[in-house]
Amino acid sequence: MTTDVSVTLRDGRVVSSSSEAWRLECEARTILKRKDRKEYLEKVRLKRGVDAAVELRNEMLAIKGSKNG
């Protein structure tokens, strides 16, 4: 059984834990911990398309930027 809860995104928005925004942020955070980031993004591009890969890369950059700011 899955429980839907409220979560806070890096930008302060509160969303459902089943939302696309939360999924994207979690995936981006996970990829940032990997050594094969470029390869992963290329697989995303091939499977989900260029727009999805760009969106994921932009989220990764935003997360990295928020840690340095």
Side-chain angles (χ1 to χ4, degrees):
M1 180 163 92
T2 307
T3 304
D4 192 32
V5 296
S6 294
V7 293
T8 304
L9 299 176
R10 65 170 173 76
D11 63 7
R13 289 181 293 150
V14 176
V15 299
S16 165
S17 62
S18 63
S19 71
E20 177 62 19
W22 181 244
R23 186 208 59 77
L24 177 66
E25 186 169 318
C26 289
E27 184 177 19
R29 288 182 187 282
T30 300
I31 298 167
L32 283 169
K33 297 175 187 173
R34 297 175 63 131
K35 292 181 181 179
D36 65 340
R37 290 184 287 274
K38 289 181 183 180
E39 293 85 357
Y40 188 101
L41 283 172
E42 179 59 16
K43 288 178 185 176
V44 169
R45 185 187 68 78
L46 293 171
K47 288 186 177 187
R48 299 186 226 164
V50 172
D51 291 344
V54 168
E55 180 181 35
L56 186 53
R57 181 178 177 274
N58 287 342
E59 183 64 24
M60 290 166 62
L61 291 171
I63 291 168
K64 268 184 94 170
S66 67
K67 289 181 181 178
N68 296 330

